[in-house]
Amino acid sequence: MNTTLAPTRSNLLKLSEDLKFAQLGYELLDQKRSILIVELLTLVDQAVDYEGRVVHALGEAQKSLSDAIMQMGRLRVGNLAGAVNIDYSIELGSRRVMGVTVPKVDTSFSDHSPYFSSEDTSILSELSIDRYRTTLQLMGRLAELKVSIMRLAKEVKKTIKKVNALEKIVIPENKETIAWMRSRIEEQERENFILLKVVKDRMENAKAALQALTTSEDDDTMKPQGGLHGSSI
């Protein structure tokens, strides 16, 4: 409660406007917090799903590569890997969620196949290339989700602090100050009313006393004056 402000009606009006503004800000921030939390939980669920898919895809890619090495030999697989000609492109974009900028990652590949002759080459080599490419696309999406989660979590934390500050500090203090100021103004008005009543009573008493004095003087003036020798016989 702020008791340093003078208890005047202008200050009371200003505090009332500040309280309305704080309550409106609290409602808006509370809505923002709810939307951000829903979006954050959605992204967390997606990240968990994509993380599982990345782990599975990477395991499958490593398995097919190991099988290709077992079948063709490490030297031949290494030579084939040097002949692979794939151009890749990672485009970074962005989108906004309740004022928060989150990234958008788009991974694309341009193939220039065939990379090598199919003679004396196992299909496992082609399968490994395809699986690693799929894994890289999933990893790009997973990176997008994780960065988005970190940024949204940071914004949620900031929003929660603001909501708590408004709910537990600003709004209650404003209400207490307004209540205190209203009571002080009412007390001052009662004191002024009593003072005015006392002044009015004194003025009326003074007026009545003056009227009584004037009437008494008039009565004395109107009384007959007697002679010095009395009446004649």
Side-chain angles (χ1 to χ4, degrees), residues 5-21 174 177-178 181-182 185:
L5 292 174
T8 61
R9 291 199 171 272
S10 60
N11 286 337
L12 179 61
L13 181 61
K14 183 178 182 300
L15 282 175
S16 300
E17 293 296 328
D18 291 343
L19 178 60
K20 291 180 182 178
F21 183 76
N174 274 10
T177 304
I178 288 173
M181 190 170 290
R182 281 177 177 168
I185 291 174

Side-chain angles (χ1 to χ4, degrees), residues 83-88 108-113 115 129-130 133:
V84 174
N85 185 12
I86 300 178
D87 294 330
Y88 67 92
S108 60
F109 299 91
S110 299
D111 294 341
H112 302 283
S113 58
Y115 317 115
I129 293 172
D130 184 66
R133 182 168 47 198

Side-chain angles (χ1 to χ4, degrees):
M1 180 173 64
N2 185 7
T3 58
T4 60
L5 292 174
T8 61
R9 291 199 171 272
S10 60
N11 286 337
L12 179 61
L13 181 61
K14 183 178 182 300
L15 282 175
S16 300
E17 293 296 328
D18 291 343
L19 178 60
K20 291 180 182 178
F21 183 76
Q23 289 173 335
L24 177 61
Y26 168 77
E27 293 175 0
L28 294 176
L29 286 174
D30 187 51
Q31 293 177 4
K32 179 181 179 180
R33 176 182 61 178
S34 301
I35 295 173
L36 286 175
I37 289 176
V38 171
E39 182 71 18
L40 179 61
L41 293 177
T42 301
L43 293 182
V44 168
D45 290 339
Q46 293 180 10
V48 171
D49 176 58
Y50 268 87
E51 190 168 10
R53 292 169 64 179
V54 166
V55 171
H56 180 266
L58 187 59
E60 290 294 319
Q62 290 176 340
K63 182 178 180 300
S64 61
L65 180 61
S66 298
D67 293 341
I69 292 174
M70 290 287 293
Q71 186 172 354
M72 295 186 296
R74 186 178 299 274
L75 181 60
R76 177 136 180 96
V77 170
N79 292 333
L80 292 177
V84 174
N85 185 12
I86 300 178
D87 294 330
Y88 67 92
S89 174
I90 300 177
E91 296 182 1
L92 299 178
S94 63
R95 64 188 182 94
R96 296 182 68 83
V97 179
M98 297 301 295
V100 183
T101 302
V102 294
K104 225 176 138 53
V105 179
D106 184 18
T107 306
S108 60
F109 299 91
S110 299
D111 294 341
H112 302 283
S113 58
Y115 317 115
F116 37 75
S117 174
S118 59
E119 185 178 357
D120 296 331
T121 304
S122 173
I123 189 64
L124 292 173
S125 57
E126 293 280 356
L127 184 60
S128 298
I129 293 172
D130 184 66
R131 286 180 175 176
Y132 273 109
R133 182 168 47 198
T134 302
T135 302
L136 288 175
Q137 288 177 328
L138 293 174
M139 290 175 69
R141 174 61 176 160
L142 180 60
E144 171 190 325
L145 290 170
K146 288 193 172 184
V147 173
S148 300
I149 288 171
M150 288 189 294
R151 292 184 180 179
L152 287 179
K154 184 178 180 181
E155 187 66 22
V156 167
K157 186 177 180 180
K158 289 169 55 179
T159 305
I160 289 175
K161 285 184 178 180
K162 293 178 182 178
V163 169
N164 290 338
L166 287 172
E167 181 182 12
K168 298 179 181 179
I169 299 176
V170 177
I171 293 177
E173 283 188 356
N174 274 10
K175 287 183 177 179
E176 290 178 1
T177 304
I178 288 173
W180 169 80
M181 190 170 290
R182 281 177 177 168
S183 65
R184 290 289 297 143
I185 291 174
E186 291 174 358
E187 183 179 352
Q188 290 176 358
E189 288 178 347
R190 286 194 298 268
E191 292 175 354
N192 292 335
F193 176 76
I194 294 173
L195 180 61
L196 289 174
K197 191 173 186 308
V198 170
V199 171
K200 183 180 178 182
D201 291 341
R202 289 182 178 179
M203 291 179 64
E204 289 179 351
N205 292 335
K207 184 178 179 181
L210 181 62
Q211 288 179 350
L213 181 60
T214 304
T215 303
S216 175
E217 291 177 353
D218 290 343
D219 291 343
D220 292 341
T221 304
M222 293 177 63
K223 286 181 180 181
Q225 300 293 329
L228 295 175
H229 304 285
S231 59
S232 59
I233 300 177

